[in-house]
Amino acid sequence: MKKVISSVAALLLSYTVIAAPAEKLIPVGAYGIEYENAVRSVQQGDYKKAFPALLKYAQYGEKMAQYLVGTLLLTDEVGQRDVSAGLAWLHVALGQDTPLWQQKYESILEQVPAEALASLKPTFDDYVQKYGAETQAMRCKYERATGSNRRQHICRKIEVAEGKYKVVEY
């Protein structure tokens, strides 16, 4: 009997072990090139090609990537429709105060029943905790748009070591 209980306990523990997040330092140049290529693919309408890199950079805290991944998952542009993940990505992207994104998010949420929205709150909180600006070493602030006096809220990676960005992978 003790052997059976020990086996069951060991089995249960093996299923509850969760990989710890890993911090990585990535050279600024390498980080920028891959991200820019993914955004360029989106601009060219090649969503399937862009999606893996966009997802990676969304996980690294990039707000535009988070917004694009959320939108692509909601619209099934990449053959992976996932409404809860799409809404969660849009939710975490709102750490960058962009009125157009906020309007789109609110218009989508108007169509979601209150019970379903309440059930998504833990997922939203989890995404913010893992992929939000603080965890992913992003600084969000208002900046003037190039050639304009208009200010916009922008989140950018913080260089944590000379020529390196920190990312936390889950």
Side-chain angles (χ1 to χ4, degrees):
M1 185 66 166
K2 286 183 184 179
K3 209 178 218 185
V4 172
I5 291 173
S6 295
S7 296
V8 170
L11 183 63
L12 289 174
L13 284 174
S14 70
Y15 283 108
T16 58
V17 173
I18 298 172
E23 287 189 13
K24 240 170 83 169
L25 294 179
I26 299 177
V28 170
Y31 183 97
I33 290 169
E34 186 179 10
Y35 182 53
E36 289 169 15
N37 287 339
V39 171
R40 190 174 305 109
S41 291
V42 168
Q43 292 168 341
Q44 295 169 350
D46 195 348
Y47 305 121
K48 287 186 179 186
K49 177 181 176 187
F51 190 76
L54 285 176
L55 181 58
K56 174 179 165 180
Y57 285 91
Q59 292 169 339
Y60 289 173
E62 292 292 342
K63 300 304 176 192
M64 174 62 80
Q66 292 170 346
Y67 177 77
L68 291 170
V69 166
T71 301
L72 292 171
L73 288 172
L74 288 171
T75 60
D76 195 25
E77 291 285 345
V78 292
Q80 297 179 22
R81 185 166 190 172
D82 186 336
V83 174
S84 32
L87 288 172
W89 281 119
L90 290 180
H91 179 83
V92 74
L94 294 178
Q96 179 170 298
D97 183 20
T98 304
L100 182 63
W101 297 359
Q102 183 70 41
Q103 291 168 359
K104 180 175 184 173
Y105 180 72
E106 288 172 2
S107 72
I108 294 168
L109 289 186
E110 288 173 0
Q111 302 170 37
V112 178
E115 312 81 49
L117 195 54
S119 73
L120 289 173
K121 186 175 180 343
T123 303
F124 291 175
D125 293 344
D126 183 52
Y127 273 56
V128 169
Q129 187 275 321
K130 289 179 178 175
Y131 311 119
E134 187 175 334
T135 302
Q136 294 298 335
M138 304 285 289
R139 178 178 298 128
C140 301
K141 64 180 185 175
Y142 284 92
E143 300 177 358
R144 291 196 195 290
T146 306
S148 169
N149 285 333
R150 198 174 129 243
R151 295 171 59 86
Q152 54 191 1
H153 195 245
I154 301 290
C155 297
R156 298 187 192 281
K157 269 294 193 203
I158 300 168
E159 205 171 306
V160 295
E162 190 173 332
K164 306 273 185 179
Y165 290 142
K166 177 185 97 169
V167 298
V168 181
E169 294 180 334
Y170 289 87

